[in-house]
Amino acid sequence: MLMELFLNPHDERSMTVQLYEQLRNAITDGRLPTGARLVPTRSVAQDLGVSRSTVTDAYARLTAEGYVEGRRGGGSFVAGSIQPQPREEDAEAALVPTPAAAAIRRYDEVRTTRLYGEDLPTRARFDLTPGRTDPQLFPTTTWRRCMARALWQFPGQYADPAGSSALRLALSRWITQSRGVTTSPEKVVVTNGAGHAVDLVARVLLAPGDVAAVEEPGYPPVTNTLRTHGVTVVGVPVDEQGIVVDAIPPGVKVVYVTPSHQYPLGVVMSRARRLELLRWARRQGAAVLEDDYDSEFRHTPRPLEPLHRLDRDGHVIYVGTFSKILSPGIRLGFAVVPRALLPTVKAVRRAVDWCPPAVTDAALTSFIDEGHLARHLRRARRVYRDRHRAVCRALTLLQIPRVTRLASQAGLHVTVLAPGMPPDDELVARASQRQLLIGSLRPTYQFGDPRPGVVVGFGALATEDVPIAIATLEDCLV
Amino acid sequence: MLMELFLNPHDERSMTVQLYEQLRNAITDGRLPTGARLVPTRSVAQDLGVSRSTVTDAYARLTAEGYVEGRRGGGSFVAGSIQPQPREEDAEAALVPTPAAAAIRRYDEVRTTRLYGEDLPTRARFDLTPGRTDPQLFPTTTWRRCMARALWQFPGQYADPAGSSALRLALSRWITQSRGVTTSPEKVVVTNGAGHAVDLVARVLLAPGDVAAVEEPGYPPVTNTLRTHGVTVVGVPVDEQGIVVDAIPPGVKVVYVTPSHQYPLGVVMSRARRLELLRWARRQGAAVLEDDYDSEFRHTPRPLEPLHRLDRDGHVIYVGTFSKILSPGIRLGFAVVPRALLPTVKAVRRAVDWCPPAVTDAALTSFIDEGHLARHLRRARRVYRDRHRAVCRALTLLQIPRVTRLASQAGLHVTVLAPGMPPDDELVARASQRQLLIGSLRPTYQFGDPRPGVVVGFGALATEDVPIAIATLEDCLV
């Protein structure tokens, strides 16, 4: 049994006594459990650079006192009679989180732990929380093959903070062809998901005290991330054309938007609003963070080009993720960064967490290059489109007065306004009783009065379960 | 060929014209390369929800104008005669990084790009940059087996931001046994390396304007990371007992230290200094970030317990990484966090990049649980110990007056003071000529006058190459 030992030649106690005491403490507080084999005396002596008798003396004392017993065939083992008494818990109220961090914790407790998190009943019948994908659709065999092949390489030294050049090339081709975002590989930065991309860009563009704007309602983790940088975040309302550009207060340096599919309302930002937002950015010298988190899954023709494509002078940073396309567990996303910011984004990424994991990087490269991504998307689109239709139909049939389903053309969720629905506490309690996981609309409002409603995620819901799941949701709402 | 198309029913141009223009633009600016097959008209029509004739009309016009050609066996392909003219580069000087981010970029340019980064000559004969590991030692077959097995699971939905409970249990056992850090699994947070752990803790404990202290000389990426949070960072000198606690200025809320093996000087913090630092932390209500980045590789018995073990009231956050133990490409590290901070650390992590990648998490779990980590470490320790001895011996034989090798008992680097050595620019130029990669000591001083010297990393240097590599280094220094 491997165990770190500490010997101090200047200690008044002999080496044997130091060794004896450390082993005894490890046994009594349970670090060396009953039945564990002690490292042979020869190895310990060699490791510690002490004489072997120092070690055998310590072992002998432990044996004599009953902490250790010899076994037939040799070796010393922690005796079976020991009742370990784990070291007392530390009195740990010493350190206090900052107010911004504490606020994130409160949000997390209210929202995530309840609806998503650790307390997630593993046996929930239906999972309607947004942000989930269908495990059945995940191309396990192909992905495994790509990963297994990538594993033949040594996972590498520290690498390029933007990801391998092969992956950036594959991503740039794919983004260019499938999303209409023209980019060269150099401008692509591979990240650990879209949130990580937002975090990196925020560090480069926003100093503490600067003001950033987000959509209200919106995606709270982004607000929370920005706040950990000491940034003041303001919420800007969203109407049927997308974010209300006129309502962006003066002094905003970065605005975060979801133009292809506003989260959570589902609005597609109009062309007029897009051009207005870009004019605003140009006038202010501000940045637009365009999060195109689920544009692969549009269920009607997409009428509008991404902001990034309309931008002619480098005000837009385009962000995407593989969490929706493949699976959140992949932990990969990307940003397309204006050339002027690129070296700084890379330097900051290198300082913080250096580079993407080498094997996943290589696996995703071949997954794209060999056409598996395109095939997977064709298949997933069909399935999610059918499911989307089924969800919309089922929601239309709801028997609750005043419940409105918002228009929805893309993605893996549909939002429903439900005035008069119970408070979130009760909603969650009702849903748990029915083994349903649901996401309330309320926590997506972080600045003003929340509208009651539900963000109905259908990524992880089997299409045939849609009617019964939505009927169960109805039970919770009335 | 997959390509995203945008159709706006309210556009004055017909659908056919919109489609024609987008495809033509994609061809002329090279997004659809010569020879690429256009998606069959039927699929496009279905995808976009338009009539098939809309699509065939657009294709016919492209064919008539020579952009596209039919081929025997069917299908439309981008014509061979096209000379794509990539879209003009954006005029991209619009967005400006913050001063803190710009400073990181400057540091990165001076230090990392030159000595580590993208310009790394792949054919360097000897790599003496610190932070590298030996690719020969990486247990490729075993790691591949653990990863391959982990791949049989679906990579998961968003998971626990602290990592899987199985990995936290495995890590807590291993840390407890091998590093003398007593912890329960709940207090372990799995991160993307040690830097990422420091970043998370900083977000929780430090608000913009707060003051943090680091060792001078020290590990600049940590200083840089802290600065991106708007934190004021002060450098505290290190003497032969470690950080000079008396020199920590008032008002410091977090101090970052490397007590087991000071980076870059190699000092082991004395017991007296450890106790003094903990007393200081208690008095100030401050946090101590203990980075134990390479304590697996000590080459003499380690005389002292980690700060974390001496801390009785939750002032120490213990941080470690697998970058040195296994490989930087793994991108995994961990923090042991006082219970009081745990929910906040997890909430912040969830907001930013959610959770560790599922497959690597599962692979590392079995790698530890099945004893592979312990075996790997025994083997690696022997190799690095021999190499360390060889490097120390070779450095002792240097023929340069006034060059001093600092005492070194652990880790994968040895530091040499070399007054009168050439400036870094010239040092690097000389080294490149000799196909040597080296790390200067100067950039590790971020607050005062740097001492000239070299941080001799030997992780990636074959033991038999040590004499010739150090002799080459000598050539560069004189």
Side-chain angles (χ1 to χ4, degrees), chain B residues 157-241:
Chain B
Q157 306 288 10
Y158 292 109
D160 192 309
S164 72
S165 55
L167 178 54
R168 283 181 287 135
L169 179 62
L171 278 175
S172 70
R173 283 191 183 139
W174 169 65
I175 304 167
T176 301
Q177 282 164 13
S178 91
R179 297 185 162 202
V181 170
T182 312
T183 179
S184 61
E186 298 79 53
K187 294 162 72 179
V188 176
V189 177
V190 181
T191 63
N192 312 329
H196 185 236
V198 170
D199 186 55
L200 269 178
V201 171
R203 287 182 204 244
V204 169
L205 290 177
L206 293 165
D210 281 347
V211 185
V214 299
E215 296 166 329
E216 164 85 342
Y219 184 61
V222 165
T223 308
N224 290 341
T225 298
L226 294 171
R227 283 179 176 156
T228 63
H229 297 296
V231 168
T232 303
V233 186
V234 296
V236 177
V238 173
D239 67 15
E240 67 289 342
Q241 290 200 67

Side-chain angles (χ1 to χ4, degrees), chain A residues 4 48 92 178 203 301 339, chain B residues 4 48 92 178 203 301 339:
Chain A
E4 190 63 274
L48 296 178
E92 283 185 346
S178 92
R203 287 180 204 245
R339 207 174 286 277
Chain B
E4 191 63 273
L48 296 178
E92 283 185 347
S178 91
R203 287 182 204 244
R339 207 175 286 274

Side-chain angles (χ1 to χ4, degrees), chain A residues 395-431:
Chain A
L395 288 172
T396 308
L397 298 174
L398 285 191
Q399 299 289 321
I400 317 171
R402 286 175 309 156
V403 161
T404 324
R405 171 175 77 74
L406 299 180
S408 158
Q409 304 172 358
L412 307 182
H413 75 266
V414 175
T415 296
V416 163
L417 300 179
M421 84 173 192
D424 284 1
D425 278 5
E426 196 183 326
L427 185 70
V428 170
R430 288 189 193 180

Side-chain angles (χ1 to χ4, degrees), chain B residues 436-468:
Chain B
L436 193 69
L437 294 172
I438 56 181
S440 168
L441 183 62
R442 289 188 181 106
T444 67
Y445 288 82
Q446 295 204 291
F447 301 92
D449 282 343
R451 292 165 84 182
V454 176
V455 186
V456 183
F458 55 80
L461 181 70
T463 307
E464 62 267 28
D465 290 339
V466 167
I468 171 83

Side-chain angles (χ1 to χ4, degrees), chain B residues 391-407:
Chain B
V391 168
C392 290
R393 196 166 34 220
L395 288 171
T396 308
L397 297 175
L398 286 190
Q399 298 290 323
I400 317 171
R402 287 175 310 156
V403 162
T404 325
R405 172 174 76 74
L406 299 181

Side-chain angles (χ1 to χ4, degrees), chain A residues 1-8 31 33 46-49 87 89-92 94-98 101-102 104-105 108 112-113 117-118 131-133 135 138 144 147 151-152 154-158 160 176-180 182 187 192 195-196 199 203-208 219 221 224-225 228-230 285-287 295 298 301-306 309 312-315 317 323-324 327-329 331 338-341 343-344 346-348 350-359 374 381 385 460, chain B residues 1-8 31 33 46-49 87 89-98 101-102 104-105 108 112-113 117-118 131-133 135 138 144 147 151-152 154-158 160 176-180 182 187 192 195-196 199 203-208 219 221 224-225 228-230 285-287 295 298 301-306 309 312-315 317 323-324 327-329 331 338-341 343-344 346-348 350-359 374 381 385 460:
Chain A
M1 176 127 293
L2 192 71
M3 174 167 164
E4 190 63 274
L5 295 163
F6 310 95
L7 290 189
N8 183 355
R31 279 177 291 141
Q46 212 177 341
D47 252 33
L48 296 178
R87 205 173 77 126
E89 260 310 313
D90 306 328
E92 283 185 346
L95 300 177
V96 182
T98 65
I104 294 176
R105 177 191 170 174
D108 197 64
T112 319
T113 311
E118 288 105 306
R132 304 235 178 248
T133 57
F138 184 76
R144 192 159 58 226
M147 285 285 279
L151 281 166
W152 283 95
F154 169 65
Q157 306 288 9
Y158 294 109
D160 192 310
T176 300
Q177 282 163 13
S178 92
R179 297 184 162 202
T182 312
K187 294 161 73 179
N192 311 329
H196 186 237
D199 185 55
R203 287 180 204 245
V204 169
L205 291 178
L206 293 165
Y219 184 61
N224 290 341
T225 298
T228 62
H229 297 295
S295 92
R298 58 193 163 69
R302 181 156 63 168
L304 293 164
E305 295 173 281
R309 195 162 167 73
R312 300 304 288 194
D313 39 18
H315 286 88
I317 295 114
S323 295
K324 310 289 175 290
S327 160
R331 304 309 315 127
R339 207 174 286 277
L341 295 182
T344 317
K346 290 170 76 164
V348 168
R350 179 148 36 209
V352 179
D353 70 340
W354 213 293
C355 60
V359 172
R381 267 192 200 121
R385 194 179 294 187
Chain B
M1 175 126 292
L2 191 72
M3 173 165 167
E4 191 63 273
L5 295 163
F6 310 95
L7 291 189
N8 183 353
R31 280 178 290 141
Q46 210 178 342
D47 252 34
L48 296 178
R87 205 172 77 125
E89 261 309 315
D90 306 327
E92 283 185 347
L95 301 177
V96 182
T98 65
I104 293 175
R105 177 190 170 174
D108 196 65
T112 320
T113 311
E118 288 106 305
R132 306 234 177 249
T133 56
F138 184 76
R144 193 161 55 226
M147 284 285 279
L151 280 167
W152 284 95
F154 168 64
Q157 306 288 10
Y158 292 109
D160 192 309
T176 301
Q177 282 164 13
S178 91
R179 297 185 162 202
T182 312
K187 294 162 72 179
N192 312 329
H196 185 236
D199 186 55
R203 287 182 204 244
V204 169
L205 290 177
L206 293 165
Y219 184 61
N224 290 341
T225 298
T228 63
H229 297 296
S295 92
R298 57 193 164 68
R302 182 157 61 168
L304 292 164
E305 295 173 282
R309 194 162 167 73
R312 300 305 286 193
D313 38 18
H315 286 87
I317 294 115
S323 295
K324 310 289 176 289
S327 161
R331 303 309 315 127
R339 207 175 286 274
L341 295 182
T344 316
K346 290 170 75 165
V348 168
R350 179 149 32 210
V352 180
D353 69 339
W354 214 293
C355 60
V359 172
R381 267 194 200 119
R385 193 179 294 187

